[in-house]
Amino acid sequence: MEKLIIIGGVAAGMSAAAKAARVNPRLSIEVFTAEEHISYGACGLPYYIAGEIQSQDRLVARTVEQFQAQNINVHINHEVIKINPEEKQLIMKNLTQGSIITKNYDKLVIATGASPFIPKVEGVELKNVFILRNMEQGIELRQYVENKKPRSAVIVGGGYIGLEMAETFQKIGAKVHIVERASQIVPNMDENMALLIQNYLLEQGVSVYTGEQLTKISGNTEVSEVITDKRKISCDCVLIAVGTIPNSKIAAEAGMELGIKNAIKVNTRMETNIPGIYSAGDCATVRHLLTNEDVYIPLGTTANKQGKTAGENAAGGSSEFKGVLGTGIAKVIGLEIARTGLSSREAESRGLQYIDTVVESRTAAHYYPDSSKISISLCAEVSSGKLLGGQIVGGRGAGKRIDVIAAGLHLGARVEDLLDMDLAYAPPFSPVYDPILTALTDLQKKLNSERNKKSKYLFTIRNCDKIN
Amino acid sequence: MEKLIIIGGVAAGMSAAAKAARVNPRLSIEVFTAEEHISYGACGLPYYIAGEIQSQDRLVARTVEQFQAQNINVHINHEVIKINPEEKQLIMKNLTQGSIITKNYDKLVIATGASPFIPKVEGVELKNVFILRNMEQGIELRQYVENKKPRSAVIVGGGYIGLEMAETFQKIGAKVHIVERASQIVPNMDENMALLIQNYLLEQGVSVYTGEQLTKISGNTEVSEVITDKRKISCDCVLIAVGTIPNSKIAAEAGMELGIKNAIKVNTRMETNIPGIYSAGDCATVRHLLTNEDVYIPLGTTANKQGKTAGENAAGGSSEFKGVLGTGIAKVIGLEIARTGLSSREAESRGLQYIDTVVESRTAAHYYPDSSKISISLCAEVSSGKLLGGQIVGGRGAGKRIDVIAAGLHLGARVEDLLDMDLAYAPPFSPVYDPILTALTDLQKKLNSERNKKSKYLFTIRNCDKIN
């Protein structure tokens, strides 16, 4: 019986396992994970910590027993410490008993995820300094929050997780401070949009310090103060959320090629450079559909899609996952923020000649009670007129509008192809012109006037030629 | 100075006026409307009647004075009774003074809207039998509702307006009965989806009688009972919402060609068969982007787009409005319903070989507190694999997902082009796989198996050929 082994039991790993079992029911499938928990929605942890989700069991999609019923054998508390591709063998440690085990595989999927980056500053080891990548850390933080009821929290890092956790801490009644090293929060959005988010946070009573570097965390056994290069902030707890590092060490040691940010390099079949070994999720690279570059954008939905693809191929099927647009979304207290494609900054850094716009509109008819502000930025390439990306910041109903932009990008649409889209209108859902259409129309105007400028410029040059 | 006259002062008419003024500031622009109110959001009337929008002024986008400031002269209470294209002349009646006026134009835009269809049954003229097309009728109904606090209402017609008004009557505390002649409510959706809506209404305490014909409304001066071919329903008031008839009479009398459902036939420039005369909005036809047929789908957002196009062209510019997908959305108490493209029934009636699917998913991660059920139906053409249409019924956050399907249809996408779209995921917004992706994946599976069946069938035929 052919043996498939999967290392990792969360989004990518369990998707791979489930898909492989469907594709080839006669396959022997074993999953090994160093964690105690499997198949949980890690993205739900901020809401679990806030108490909005009562039990951790709610976060679990399927239990070990349910996988067992599908002929998938899951072994928790097993850490793979070495991959030996020549012998197709894994060496692993049973974390409960401390014993060393070897296991042979025919096909292998590496879905080891990522670890939080922890800045090397004094005091990060103090009590009440938290990180949040897995269920165990989530449970720990929930227990802390319930038992200690912290009055203030410093979040180091203003990305998606930092902002979602700002909502969590706000909800449990703590004063929140965000410290971000970059000159803006949400560094994958453009500065003007990030400022809208920052202003909203300030209105909500969250302190935001951008362009500030964490230098020290101080306290006796428990944290009492965070020190940056500009100020001291006293606090009851700290969350470190400054990005993640792919867990690619054992893969690299086994001869697997690493790509950007040391993530395991995979092709669109999720295969590594070693035939028969696949990788998926937060430990792996992914193709960017617009730039065709390999990127490292570890997100839950991508992990699932990559895992499914890896599982199908490892089980003898044939599947491709073509890539991502870097679509992301987050709820930040009452604000919805979303992005897809290239930001203007990313377009700039790739030397693209782009034009961008920001429009402000409403999520619903201006007279409808629930209507709230929405800001949309769009970016397009001047020469081709192709849409490059978009970003959204607004009230309820704003964020998922990003999907329309993602659909346009996915299909390679020019801005003018999208101008008259028949988007749904009724007062509770949209102004008469959906904000997406308003933004597209504005961008097309700018594209037209940019082109007119160019043709005028060319005309002037030609006239000069004639005069000479 | 060139004279543009626009007949009609709501969505299409005022969009035309505003656009024309921007395109050609030296144009003389006059708007004549038989109504007293202009530039109001007619689609907002159900929420105004429910008292969710306090003042009728909130529904008004711009006042007569504001248009005046843009050099647009609006004349209310003026009913155009004859168009004389040879002399480029209008004959109209000042409804306040009763006087007859003639006016000359160079260019004309007809945006006379539509009137509710009123069934010819005994009792429709009784007091407390309402229709709802314009602001005046909205004000009348609001006053009735506030003063009389009806305890029960019968809505004749289960389309968008009927369902939105079911929410309104429910909100003010009336028991609601819906009588629909067709075998299902929302006849532009497929039966399975309509049944989901009907079941929801029943759960909410709304009575729904489908396949029932209104035969009589009875009462002394005020309505007291509605009689159908199957039952008697006592009630305090009745709303007739069984569809609309384009106000195309004066256009037809002036020699303008009428199209489907007697709407004024226009091309993509919104021009009628008489050069220099344009039409837009609920009185005009519109092109269906998928079938290339002229259709009559009177909706607010289309009226605005058509009006803008008519205004631009009438002012000497050049603009096309290519058409619609029949996208529609409505909020029905807590339920969101939406559709775009062709329903399976419409695909069937056009002789298309289609395949369809319905999937059930969640609007947010299953563990997220706000998560609610969403059902999505999709329909595709077997031979080309092209998406034909989609329908959605679900809780908050469900409806506007239709826009992703509309974007795909707009760009002529095949189902397989859309499978791996990078749609936004975070627990408050979506399951890991957005329901749209789940539905597309399911539909693609069905497409594949349909094709396999066919190729097997062809294979059998070919083998028979060989044997023979």
Side-chain angles (χ1 to χ4, degrees):
Chain A
M1 199 157 67
E2 208 180 39
K3 281 183 193 159
L4 167 63
I5 291 185
I6 293 161
I7 312 176
V10 198
M14 297 322 295
S15 291
K19 186 66 182 180
R22 280 198 299 277
V23 169
N24 184 355
R26 284 168 309 176
L27 203 59
S28 149
I29 305 176
E30 290 194 281
V31 177
F32 293 93
T33 168
E35 293 188 47
E36 200 178 319
H37 306 274
I38 66 151
S39 184
Y40 56 84
C43 305
L45 291 172
Y47 312 100
Y48 166 68
I49 296 163
E52 289 182 89
I53 300 159
Q54 269 311 308
S55 156
Q56 66 190 68
D57 297 342
R58 290 278 294 142
L59 291 181
V60 176
R62 271 180 282 185
T63 61
V64 170
E65 292 70 30
Q66 285 168 318
F67 280 107
Q68 186 70 58
Q70 293 176 279
N71 275 318
I72 296 165
N73 293 300
V74 182
H75 309 274
I76 60 169
N77 296 320
H78 278 71
E79 186 186 0
V80 174
I81 50 179
K82 193 171 169 22
I83 303 167
N84 192 337
E86 282 74 37
E87 280 112 79
K88 297 196 169 184
Q89 194 182 58
L90 300 179
I91 300 171
M92 57 184 92
K93 194 172 173 181
N94 180 327
L95 296 177
T96 324
Q97 303 167 355
S99 53
I100 299 292
I101 310 156
T102 59
K103 273 275 175 185
N104 281 83
Y105 64 82
D106 294 302
K107 295 282 168 58
L108 181 67
V109 175
I110 304 172
T112 42
S115 298
F117 177 80
I118 296 169
K120 289 191 181 64
V121 298
E122 203 186 316
V124 283
E125 74 295 340
L126 283 172
K127 228 182 140 184
N128 303 342
V129 177
F130 297 94
I131 50 174
L132 184 62
R133 273 308 289 181
N134 63 32
M135 180 73 112
E136 209 177 308
Q137 293 153 358
I139 293 170
E140 194 189 347
L141 195 40
R142 159 91 171 245
Q143 280 168 350
Y144 165 74
V145 152
E146 279 188 348
N147 297 336
K148 302 289 173 161
K149 301 194 176 21
R151 303 288 303 274
S152 60
V154 172
I155 297 171
V156 184
Y160 294 143
I161 295 175
L163 296 187
E164 286 173 341
M165 283 303 296
E167 174 177 316
T168 300
F169 281 118
Q170 175 101 336
K171 194 155 262 164
I172 60 143
K175 159 74 187 171
V176 181
H177 306 262
I178 297 175
V179 175
E180 168 61 54
R181 192 176 60 169
S183 60
Q184 64 170 68
I185 53 169
V186 212
N188 70 2
M189 291 178 77
D190 284 312
E191 197 185 356
N192 45 5
M193 301 302 276
L195 269 176
L196 296 176
I197 303 165
Q198 181 166 341
N199 289 336
Y200 176 83
L201 286 169
L202 297 177
E203 276 167 33
Q204 298 296 315
V206 174
S207 298
V208 180
Y209 312 112
T210 55
E212 278 193 43
Q213 178 92 39
L214 172 71
T215 53
K216 189 181 165 184
I217 301 174
S218 67
N220 281 327
T221 53
E222 296 183 357
V223 58
S224 63
E225 199 175 54
V226 162
I227 301 162
T228 74
D229 51 357
K230 292 192 184 140
R231 79 192 70 228
K232 294 177 177 187
I233 311 160
S234 34
C235 61
D236 294 335
C237 64
V238 174
L239 177 77
I240 306 275
V242 292
T244 54
I245 307 166
N247 293 330
S248 57
K249 193 162 162 273
I250 54 164
E253 286 167 353
M256 264 162 271
E257 192 184 339
L258 301 188
I260 184 158
K261 301 222 172 154
N262 283 330
I264 301 169
K265 196 171 163 62
V266 291
N267 60 21
T268 52
R269 301 184 70 243
M270 298 302 118
E271 203 164 11
T272 67
N273 61 315
I274 302 182
I277 303 186
Y278 302 82
S279 182
D282 293 359
C283 58
T285 62
V286 65
R287 191 66 52 85
H288 196 293
L289 286 172
L290 293 181
T291 64
N292 249 327
E293 301 161 342
D294 277 346
V295 289
Y296 181 62
I297 306 176
L299 288 173
T301 183
T302 308
N304 275 271
K305 290 170 184 166
Q306 287 190 317
K308 202 170 139 191
T309 305
E312 176 149 7
N313 292 326
S318 176
S319 168
E320 259 197 311
F321 174 61
K322 297 221 173 88
V324 299
L325 297 164
T327 309
I329 192 167
K331 187 163 89 67
V332 186
I333 310 177
L335 198 70
E336 299 184 358
I337 69 173
R339 56 99 64 212
T340 190
L342 301 183
S343 64
S344 298
R345 193 191 299 120
E346 286 168 335
E348 176 101 44
S349 74
R350 276 160 185 81
L352 294 172
Q353 248 215 313
Y354 68 94
I355 205 146
D356 56 13
T357 194
V358 182
V359 304
E360 195 184 297
S361 180
R362 310 288 304 174
T363 54
H366 68 275
Y367 51 76
Y368 192 76
D370 263 359
S371 172
S372 63
K373 207 164 81 175
I374 176 173
S375 299
I376 301 187
S377 76
L378 291 178
C379 174
E381 191 184 32
V382 175
S383 56
S384 64
K386 271 197 180 181
L387 196 60
L388 291 174
Q391 294 166 38
I392 295 178
V393 172
R396 191 160 181 170
K400 273 296 255 179
R401 280 174 152 99
I402 203 74
D403 287 350
V404 178
I405 303 171
L409 289 174
H410 190 84
L411 296 167
R414 293 170 309 162
V415 177
E416 63 180 316
D417 299 330
L418 301 169
L419 290 179
D420 269 338
M421 278 188 295
D422 194 8
L423 303 185
Y425 163 64
F429 301 99
S430 172
V432 172
Y433 285 93
D434 191 276
I436 295 281
L437 296 179
T438 307
L440 286 164
T441 303
D442 196 64
L443 187 60
Q444 185 63 44
K445 268 187 210 156
K446 289 193 175 171
L447 274 169
N448 293 344
S449 85
E450 188 67 21
R451 285 169 187 171
N452 284 343
K453 259 192 255 167
K454 285 212 173 145
S455 57
K456 267 187 203 156
Y457 176 69
L458 285 175
F459 181 72
T460 313
I461 292 174
R462 283 199 196 112
N463 276 5
C464 290
D465 283 350
K466 274 185 198 165
I467 291 163
N468 293 336
Chain B
M1 197 158 65
E2 207 180 39
K3 282 182 192 160
L4 167 63
I5 291 186
I6 293 160
I7 313 176
V10 197
M14 297 322 296
S15 291
K19 185 68 183 179
R22 278 197 301 275
V23 170
N24 184 357
R26 286 167 307 175
L27 203 60
S28 150
I29 305 175
E30 289 194 283
V31 177
F32 293 93
T33 168
E35 293 188 47
E36 201 178 316
H37 305 276
I38 66 150
S39 185
Y40 56 85
C43 305
L45 290 172
Y47 312 100
Y48 167 67
I49 296 163
E52 289 183 271
I53 300 160
Q54 270 312 309
S55 156
Q56 65 190 68
D57 298 339
R58 290 277 295 143
L59 290 182
V60 176
R62 271 179 281 185
T63 61
V64 170
E65 293 69 30
Q66 284 168 318
F67 280 106
Q68 186 69 58
Q70 292 177 278
N71 275 318
I72 296 165
N73 293 300
V74 181
H75 308 273
I76 60 168
N77 296 319
H78 278 71
E79 187 186 0
V80 174
I81 51 182
K82 193 171 167 21
I83 303 167
N84 193 337
E86 283 74 34
E87 279 113 79
K88 296 196 169 184
Q89 196 181 56
L90 300 178
I91 300 171
M92 59 184 93
K93 194 172 173 181
N94 180 328
L95 297 177
T96 324
Q97 301 167 359
S99 53
I100 298 291
I101 308 156
T102 59
K103 274 277 176 185
N104 282 85
Y105 64 84
D106 296 300
K107 296 280 168 60
L108 182 66
V109 175
I110 304 172
T112 43
S115 298
F117 177 80
I118 297 168
K120 289 192 179 63
V121 298
E122 203 185 315
V124 283
E125 72 296 340
L126 283 172
K127 228 181 137 183
N128 304 341
V129 177
F130 297 94
I131 50 173
L132 184 62
R133 273 309 289 181
N134 63 31
M135 180 74 111
E136 209 176 310
Q137 293 153 356
I139 293 170
E140 194 188 347
L141 195 41
R142 160 88 172 244
Q143 280 168 352
Y144 165 75
V145 153
E146 278 187 349
N147 298 335
K148 303 288 173 162
K149 299 192 176 24
R151 302 290 302 274
S152 60
V154 171
I155 297 171
V156 184
Y160 294 143
I161 295 175
L163 295 187
E164 286 173 342
M165 284 302 297
E167 174 177 315
T168 300
F169 282 118
Q170 175 101 336
K171 195 155 263 165
I172 61 142
K175 159 75 189 169
V176 181
H177 306 262
I178 296 175
V179 175
E180 167 62 54
R181 193 175 60 169
S183 61
Q184 63 170 69
I185 54 168
V186 213
N188 70 2
M189 290 177 77
D190 284 312
E191 197 184 357
N192 46 4
M193 299 302 275
L195 269 177
L196 295 177
I197 303 166
Q198 180 167 342
N199 288 339
Y200 176 83
L201 287 169
L202 297 177
E203 277 168 30
Q204 298 295 315
V206 174
S207 298
V208 180
Y209 312 113
T210 53
E212 278 193 43
Q213 178 94 38
L214 173 71
T215 53
K216 189 181 164 182
I217 301 174
S218 68
N220 282 325
T221 52
E222 296 182 359
V223 59
S224 63
E225 200 175 56
V226 162
I227 302 162
T228 74
D229 52 357
K230 293 192 184 139
R231 80 192 69 228
K232 294 178 176 185
I233 311 160
S234 35
C235 61
D236 295 334
C237 65
V238 175
L239 176 77
I240 307 275
V242 293
T244 55
I245 307 165
N247 293 330
S248 57
K249 194 162 162 274
I250 54 164
E253 286 168 355
M256 263 161 272
E257 191 183 340
L258 301 187
I260 183 157
K261 302 224 171 150
N262 284 330
I264 302 170
K265 195 173 161 62
V266 292
N267 59 23
T268 53
R269 300 185 69 244
M270 299 301 117
E271 203 163 12
T272 68
N273 61 315
I274 302 182
I277 303 187
Y278 302 82
S279 183
D282 293 358
C283 58
T285 62
V286 65
R287 190 67 53 83
H288 196 294
L289 285 172
L290 292 181
T291 64
N292 249 326
E293 302 161 342
D294 278 346
V295 290
Y296 180 63
I297 306 176
L299 288 173
T301 183
T302 309
N304 274 271
K305 290 171 183 165
Q306 287 190 315
K308 202 170 138 191
T309 304
E312 175 149 7
N313 291 327
S318 176
S319 169
E320 259 196 313
F321 174 62
K322 298 219 173 88
V324 299
L325 298 165
T327 310
I329 191 167
K331 187 165 89 69
V332 187
I333 309 175
L335 198 71
E336 300 185 357
I337 69 172
R339 54 100 64 213
T340 189
L342 302 182
S343 65
S344 298
R345 193 191 299 119
E346 287 168 335
E348 177 101 45
S349 75
R350 277 160 185 82
L352 294 173
Q353 247 215 314
Y354 69 93
I355 204 145
D356 56 12
T357 193
V358 182
V359 303
E360 194 183 300
S361 179
R362 309 289 302 174
T363 54
H366 68 274
Y367 52 75
Y368 193 77
D370 264 359
S371 173
S372 63
K373 206 164 82 174
I374 176 173
S375 299
I376 301 187
S377 75
L378 291 178
C379 174
E381 192 183 32
V382 174
S383 57
S384 64
K386 270 195 179 183
L387 196 60
L388 291 174
Q391 292 166 37
I392 294 176
V393 172
R396 190 159 184 174
K400 273 296 255 180
R401 279 177 154 96
I402 203 73
D403 286 349
V404 178
I405 303 170
L409 290 173
H410 190 85
L411 296 167
R414 294 171 307 164
V415 177
E416 63 180 313
D417 299 328
L418 301 170
L419 290 179
D420 268 338
M421 278 190 294
D422 193 9
L423 303 184
Y425 161 64
F429 301 98
S430 173
V432 172
Y433 286 93
D434 191 276
I436 295 281
L437 296 179
T438 307
L440 286 164
T441 303
D442 196 64
L443 188 59
Q444 185 62 43
K445 267 186 210 157
K446 288 193 175 172
L447 274 169
N448 293 344
S449 85
E450 189 67 21
R451 285 171 185 170
N452 285 342
K453 262 192 252 164
K454 286 214 171 144
S455 58
K456 267 188 202 155
Y457 177 68
L458 285 175
F459 180 74
T460 314
I461 291 175
R462 284 202 193 110
N463 275 5
C464 289
D465 283 351
K466 276 185 198 166
I467 292 164
N468 295 336

